[in-house]
């Protein structure tokens, strides 16, 4: 296993001293400007791809960067969204999908998820994305996964807008939603049109 204790030691020795002033400030201040909702995939590191410093991104990572539509049941993702928007007053939310997403590949290729029933249930939050991607003509193989990744970002932006805190901030014009797809092989980030959401 990758030795995390080595990493902790290197952080304290080589990285922390240069940022000691920043961390001293952050010790009593938490004012991120952006809520970043990404996939749990180990290859998609929000702070790295956006070159953000500690304190700048409020991050939620879920399998498939899925955002369940609002419901009145307690939910960790919903609580994080509400906290970021209504308490921390972030000005921007990014929903970031990525190439070769395991969750989207499983859906696009119809993998048997009977051994992972919780995953299977969770991926139901991508049902609208599947329906949207199915309408994309000529998508096959990797193209089918890529189409679903993009449709999924759009669908999750729609789900995001069902959360009351988000809907309120959108109506007040204090919040902007963004859809991205990160390409692991090239490092490129391509936007997914969120115009329909902000309207
Ligand atoms: Zn993923």
């Amino acid at each position: 296993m990758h030795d995390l204790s080595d990493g902790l030691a290197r952080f304290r020795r080589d990285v922390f001293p240069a940022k000691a002033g920043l961390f001293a400030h952050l010790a009593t201040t938490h004012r991120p400007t952006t809520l970043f909702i990404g996939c749990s995939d180990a290859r998609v590191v929000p702070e790295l791809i956006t070159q953000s410093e500690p304190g700048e991104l409020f991050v939620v990572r879920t399998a498939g960067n899925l955002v369940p539509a609002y419901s009145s049941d307690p939910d960790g993702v919903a609580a994080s969204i509400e906290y970021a928007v209504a308490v921390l007053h972030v000005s921007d939310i990014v929903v970031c999908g990525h190439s070769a997403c395991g969750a989207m590949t499983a859906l696009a290729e119809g993998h048997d998820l009977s051994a992972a029933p919780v995953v299977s249930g969770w991926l139901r939050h991508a049902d609208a994305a599947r329906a949207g991607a199915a309408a994309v003509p000529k998508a096959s193989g990797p193209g089918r996964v890529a189409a679903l990744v993009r449709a999924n970002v759009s669908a999750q932006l729609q789900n995001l807008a069902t959360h009351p805190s988000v809907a309120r901030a959108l109506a007040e014009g204090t919040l902007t939603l963004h859809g991205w797809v990160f390409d692991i092989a090239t490092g490129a980030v391509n936007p997914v049109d969120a115009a329909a959401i902000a309207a």
Side-chain angles (χ1 to χ4, degrees), residues 103-173:
M104 293 304 108
T105 302
L107 288 177
E109 298 181 352
H111 292 181
D112 177 11
L113 293 173
S114 57
V118 177
V119 173
S120 181
W122 172 250
L123 293 182
R124 297 294 305 274
H125 295 297
D127 279 353
R130 292 174 76 182
V136 176
K138 293 189 290 185
S140 62
R144 193 163 54 187
V145 174
L148 183 55
V149 166
R150 293 184 67 80
N152 184 51
V153 169
S154 292
Q156 303 316 315
L157 286 166
Q158 298 276 0
N159 284 351
L160 194 52
T162 66
H163 290 251
S165 58
V166 173
R168 194 178 309 119
L170 287 173
E172 291 171 351

Side-chain angles (χ1 to χ4, degrees), residues 170-199:
L170 287 173
E172 291 171 351
T174 57
L175 182 66
T176 305
L177 306 186
H178 310 268
W180 293 357
V181 173
F182 173 66
D183 184 68
I184 294 171
T186 65
V189 170
N190 295 304
V192 174
D193 186 15
I197 313 302

Side-chain angles (χ1 to χ4, degrees), residues 38-44 62-65 96-104 149 184:
C39 185
S40 300
D41 192 295
R43 301 165 293 181
V44 185
T62 66
N65 45 274
C96 184
H98 67 99
S99 62
C101 182
M104 293 304 108
V149 166
I184 294 171

